[in-house]
Amino acid sequence: MITKIKLENKTITVDLSKPLDLSITLSGDENNPIAWYLEQPTIEPVQEGKWIAKVSEGSSVNFNNLQFNPHAHGTHTECVGHISEDFYSVNKALNQFFFTAKVISLVPENYGEDAAISKKQLQHYLTKNEAEALVIRTLPNTKKKRRRKYSHTNWPYLLEEAATYIRECGIKHLLIDLPSVDKEKDDGQLLAHRAFWNYPENTRKDATITELIYVSNKIKDGEYLLNLQIASIKNDASPSKPVLYKIL
């Protein structure tokens, strides 16, 4: 499935038969990652009286209810509606799904009692108008990220200056392997979210942030084609499936 895609000033070639999935599967068990102080999600068969909607229990179909929070339980994509008083749906904000992307890997720096990503760090990896999407893999990078319990861990985050720099470089879609681009407990300031969306001064309603991805160590830093897919849900955020394709 070799495909040539013509962009404004160049043509790229990708093999659509070799996707690189960045999403974490929602599993509804102890292997599911969790953030924001919630319990694990549940995937359970519908029950009505003695009837259980499960083939192994005598039903003709498996018919499950899912209870989860997109922000806390897995890979999700959000729009400015996540922080705005007015309602905005990510399903309306994201109406194109293929983007040029750059993958970078970096170690968050010590910042007081925290670990954070600074503008100075990013300047070594990203320049203006390089790509439409930026994928940040934090180091160290282990498979444990797929099932980590993040609540009360004070995870690394983006400094406000870093998020501003990413916006100024022309990045419309930011993807990161953490539960949030902001500090876990920041008294509701959400400085990185606000800086990236330029909210509320000149809000970028078509820009998105995707959190809780996992970038395998097999994926090298560099340029890719990104396919960013979400569920059709009228909400500020949706479970999502970002997929990279290596540029040949």
Side-chain angles (χ1 to χ4, degrees):
M1 296 177 66
I2 303 299
T3 302
K4 290 185 181 294
I5 299 175
K6 183 176 288 188
L7 305 176
E8 288 185 1
N9 55 359
K10 64 179 179 180
T11 299
I12 63 173
T13 303
V14 295
D15 186 348
L16 296 180
S17 69
K18 295 180 179 179
L20 302 168
D21 191 353
L22 304 184
S23 66
I24 297 175
T25 300
L26 185 75
S27 60
D29 56 31
E30 65 277 2
N31 291 317
N32 207 97
I34 303 175
W36 303 118
Y37 326 115
L38 299 184
E39 299 297 325
Q40 69 183 41
T42 58
I43 303 176
E44 298 176 334
V46 171
Q47 296 190 45
E48 186 175 342
K50 295 182 179 180
W51 180 70
I52 302 175
K54 190 173 182 179
V55 174
S56 62
E57 297 290 337
S59 173
S60 59
V61 294
N62 294 306
F63 189 51
N64 293 325
N65 284 327
L66 283 72
Q67 183 173 11
F68 68 96
N69 185 292
H71 293 285
H73 289 140
T75 305
H76 60 279
T77 297
E78 59 195 33
C79 69
V80 71
H82 183 43
I83 63 169
S84 65
E85 183 174 344
D86 294 332
F87 175 79
Y88 296 102
S89 172
V90 68
N91 195 47
K92 186 174 181 179
L94 187 66
N95 51 30
Q96 295 184 40
F97 307 99
F98 282 95
F99 310 98
T100 57
K102 185 171 186 181
V103 175
I104 65 172
S105 302
L106 47 79
V107 180
E109 299 176 325
N110 292 330
Y111 187 75
E113 297 181 353
D114 304 332
I117 297 169
S118 67
K119 174 182 177 179
K120 184 178 179 180
Q121 279 184 288
L122 288 170
Q123 286 175 323
H124 293 290
Y125 297 92
L126 183 68
T127 57
K128 192 171 184 179
N129 298 326
E130 272 195 273
E132 299 166 288
L134 177 66
V135 179
I136 299 177
R137 169 172 43 200
T138 57
L139 302 175
N141 188 55
T142 70
K143 292 182 179 180
K144 290 181 180 179
K145 288 180 180 178
R146 293 177 173 175
R147 52 186 174 84
R148 186 165 292 166
K149 308 302 181 278
Y150 283 95
S151 299
H152 304 295
T153 62
N154 191 29
W155 56 73
Y157 57 93
L158 294 179
L159 295 180
E160 181 181 14
E161 63 178 34
T164 299
Y165 178 72
I166 291 170
R167 185 192 78 225
E168 291 175 344
C169 283
I171 297 297
K172 278 284 191 74
H173 305 284
L174 173 60
L175 297 84
I176 196 165
D177 60 1
L178 298 167
S180 176
V181 295
D182 272 304
K183 182 178 171 69
E184 180 181 9
K185 299 177 182 179
D186 69 347
D187 297 320
Q189 296 182 78
L190 296 166
L191 297 178
H193 281 88
R194 289 173 177 269
F196 178 74
W197 281 315
N198 205 18
Y199 177 84
E201 292 81 10
N202 189 20
T203 304
R204 300 199 301 164
K205 298 176 184 178
D206 59 346
T208 68
I209 297 174
T210 300
E211 297 161 332
L212 275 177
I213 63 171
Y214 176 71
V215 188
S216 168
N217 290 321
K218 296 179 181 179
I219 299 174
K220 296 180 180 180
D221 285 9
E223 296 181 353
Y224 292 84
L225 179 69
L226 169 68
N227 178 212
L228 181 56
Q229 289 287 346
I230 60 173
S232 294
I233 300 174
K234 191 176 181 180
N235 191 42
D236 69 282
S238 166
S240 60
K241 191 178 184 71
V243 177
L244 294 177
Y245 294 93
K246 183 179 179 181
I247 297 176
L248 303 177

